Amino acid sequence: QAEDGIRDRSPSRGLGDVYKRQAFSEPNSIPQLGTTQKLDNLADKPMNRLQYRNFGGHQSMVVCQTVNAGSGRAGMRWWELRKTSADWSIFQEGTYAPSDSLYRWMGSIAMDGSGNLALGYSASSSAIYPDIRFTGRFASDPLGIMTVAETVIHAGGGSQIGFTPRW
């Protein structure tokens, strides 16, 4: 297993061997409106699945993970790995964490057949209930930046309380 917890399925080569990335740390637990109970940030592993696409002239894989975006606030770190004729390498990467008080975690990233990216995730803070949002970028946008305005898919109606800190 690679140092960052990401591993491909080949027996001899973890993705940590494929690329060197900036170090990051885990964020604090996730606050939510109306309670002091915090949610698990699940930052110890990539979320969902690593998506693969073959475009003919190159192959791409996208993956995301919750990271500490600063001051313990959770943000979504994402990568696009690309292979042309050589080995896999990072084509682009970024951390989506706008300058607000929201924690963004538990993401899922996908790429369509045109190379556009969509990043969905949960968001919460002490001022809002946990909800579900997305952002994205077009293949023609500057690398490493989510340019699509953040949109709420489903506004939360309450906080998760009880036995488990999972949302």
Side-chain angles (χ1 to χ4, degrees):
Q1 180 143 349
E3 66 179 279
D4 55 8
I6 301 172
R7 180 181 167 144
D8 69 9
R9 293 295 174 204
S10 65
S12 62
R13 192 168 181 183
L15 289 180
D17 298 328
V18 173
Y19 68 95
K20 300 297 180 203
R21 56 153 176 76
Q22 296 175 344
F24 59 82
S25 61
E26 289 190 20
N28 297 330
S29 296
I30 311 299
Q32 45 182 345
L33 178 64
T35 182
T36 58
Q37 184 169 342
K38 301 205 175 195
L39 300 172
D40 188 349
N41 61 41
L42 300 171
D44 60 332
K45 63 186 88 39
M47 291 278 87
N48 206 304
R49 83 285 184 252
L50 182 113
Q51 183 200 359
Y52 168 84
R53 275 208 180 263
N54 188 335
F55 289 95
H58 72 275
Q59 300 168 68
S60 287
M61 293 188 288
V62 292
V63 65
C64 65
Q65 184 169 357
T66 304
V67 299
N68 182 347
S71 301
R73 189 172 58 93
M76 290 308 310
R77 183 77 178 164
W78 59 274
W79 298 266
E80 179 186 353
L81 306 175
R82 189 171 277 194
K83 181 178 181 177
T84 52
S85 60
D87 286 336
W88 287 97
S89 63
I90 294 176
F91 177 69
Q92 64 175 324
E93 61 183 312
T95 300
Y96 187 73
S99 298
D100 56 22
S101 64
L102 296 182
Y103 288 61
R104 292 165 177 86
W105 86 107
M106 210 164 57
S108 177
I109 192 166
M111 178 182 282
D112 69 13
S114 298
N116 305 314
L117 291 175
L119 175 64
Y121 45 88
S122 297
S124 186
S125 75
S126 58
I128 67 165
Y129 295 122
D131 62 20
I132 302 171
R133 299 173 180 226
F134 78 93
T135 186
R137 65 177 310 281
F138 296 99
S140 59
D141 290 342
L143 296 179
I145 301 170
M146 291 290 174
T147 57
V148 174
E150 181 175 64
T151 302
V152 175
I153 297 172
H154 180 77
S159 292
Q160 174 73 32
I161 56 173
F163 179 72
T164 180
R166 295 287 168 88
W167 152 241

